[in-house]
Amino acid sequence: MSQTLINSNQTITITKEDILHQIKLSCQIPEIVEQIVTRKVISAAIEEAGIEVTTEELQKAANQMRAMSKLKDAQATWAWLKKYGLSLDDFEEIVYITLLSQKLTKHLFKDKVEPYFYEHQLDYAGAIIYEIVLDDEDEAIELFYEIQEGEISFSEAAKEYIQDRELRRKGGYRGKVNRTEMKPEVSAAVFAANPPAILKPIVTADGIYLVLVEEIVKPELDHKLQQKIMFDLFTEWLKQQTEKVQVVSHKIITT
């Protein structure tokens, strides 16, 4: 395979060897090898599980992939394939592997989602919060008491002390933040609060957090969270499997 690029001054032919050499020079060989190992591990697990796909499932998955890539018609699809150096068979293989991976994920972890959720449901708890991060603890304490005594509102304080323009416009509103997205010191105080409540300044390595807790949101095992948990479990399983694999060095790495 080679690709010819033409500009106003010259014609440049790019070969497979050129592409491979550039991958090596870009130090991407370990990443590419990891992707190959991952694909082979998935393929072996799929074969062992006897997972298959129907023509209808494959067509539906292909349509979804085209929609996600905003390929509205045949012309757009062919242009996309050309851009990435893919054939139609390559595209079908991508769809096929993606679909099988999704089915493998369900096969391995669908029945483990609910037990995992109840065992780790605190990790999925969230809170609706507003926050201001300051550098000076004394200033944070003073501002805390001013807000608590009604001398200034949290929104007014946010507009005065927050540097980030968008967050300042929103009065420090962070929306729903999951426990795992918070710093441990902050999450401990937030989830011990009885909202609505403004918390005493929380000292962290990144600054002094002044947090207004509007609501504690209990986790619900909806479809979105089910998919996330399955994906997380599959990712961890895949990591463990690939770590067990011994890759035999190929000439591509040393030549």
Side-chain angles (χ1 to χ4, degrees):
M1 180 192 74
S2 65
Q3 185 173 355
T4 301
L5 302 180
I6 303 175
N7 60 29
S8 58
N9 298 317
Q10 60 182 327
T11 300
I12 302 175
T13 299
I14 300 176
T15 66
K16 289 189 295 185
E17 290 72 21
D18 291 327
I19 294 173
L20 177 57
H21 188 58
Q22 185 59 44
I23 290 174
K24 291 170 66 177
L25 293 181
S26 301
C27 301
Q28 294 180 21
I29 290 294
E31 180 182 344
I32 298 298
V33 169
E34 182 180 350
Q35 292 173 3
I36 293 171
V37 170
T38 296
R39 178 165 54 83
K40 289 184 176 293
V41 166
I42 291 174
S43 296
I46 288 169
E47 184 177 352
E48 182 179 345
I51 297 173
E52 298 179 349
V53 299
T54 65
T55 303
E56 292 76 13
E57 289 175 328
L58 199 58
Q59 183 61 55
K60 181 179 179 181
N63 292 339
Q64 290 174 340
M65 183 167 290
R66 278 192 289 266
M68 289 176 60
S69 301
K70 298 181 180 179
L71 306 176
K72 299 180 181 180
D73 51 35
Q75 184 177 356
T77 300
W78 284 114
W80 183 85
L81 292 174
K82 183 178 180 180
K83 176 182 179 181
Y84 293 103
L86 299 170
S87 67
L88 188 56
D89 288 341
D90 293 330
F91 177 75
E92 291 177 352
E93 183 178 358
I94 293 171
V95 174
Y96 184 72
I97 293 172
T98 302
L99 179 56
L100 282 174
S101 298
Q102 292 171 350
K103 297 189 77 168
L104 177 63
T105 302
K106 290 182 180 180
H107 172 77
L108 293 174
F109 300 109
K110 184 177 181 180
D111 295 335
K112 298 180 181 181
V113 169
E114 190 169 331
Y116 183 89
F117 169 72
Y118 286 112
E119 184 178 350
H120 300 86
Q121 59 180 315
L122 287 180
D123 293 338
Y124 298 101
I128 308 298
I129 64 171
Y130 297 74
E131 75 178 21
I132 300 171
V133 183
L134 301 167
D135 296 325
D136 185 272
E137 185 175 0
D138 291 335
E139 184 179 44
I141 292 173
E142 181 180 350
L143 185 58
F144 164 75
Y145 284 113
E146 288 178 357
I147 295 173
Q148 194 177 51
E149 294 170 7
E151 296 178 16
I152 186 174
S153 69
F154 195 96
S155 177
E156 291 170 337
K159 292 177 181 178
E160 182 175 346
Y161 290 94
I162 293 178
Q163 300 300 316
D164 181 87
R165 181 181 299 177
E166 289 303 315
L167 190 60
R168 184 170 65 242
R169 286 174 177 171
K170 295 187 290 186
Y173 180 68
R174 288 284 313 281
K176 180 186 175 183
V177 182
N178 289 335
R179 177 189 288 266
T180 52
E181 297 173 321
M182 300 179 189
K183 293 185 175 299
E185 309 96 308
V186 175
S187 68
V190 166
F191 289 97
N194 184 23
I198 180 169
L199 308 181
K200 289 184 177 180
I202 306 164
V203 180
T204 76
D206 295 331
I208 318 302
Y209 282 70
L210 199 57
V211 181
L212 173 63
V213 184
E214 182 177 278
E215 180 186 354
I216 300 295
V217 183
K218 294 182 179 179
E220 294 183 5
L221 190 58
D222 55 17
H223 177 73
K224 183 178 180 180
L225 184 52
Q226 287 177 343
Q227 296 301 308
K228 182 182 185 310
I229 292 175
M230 270 199 294
F231 176 79
D232 290 345
L233 291 174
F234 180 73
T235 300
E236 181 59 32
W237 171 84
L238 194 55
K239 179 182 177 182
Q240 293 173 358
Q241 298 304 309
T242 54
E243 287 175 349
K244 298 176 184 177
V245 175
Q246 181 178 359
V247 180
V248 179
S249 296
H250 192 276
K251 291 180 181 179
I252 187 176
I253 300 177
T254 57
T255 59

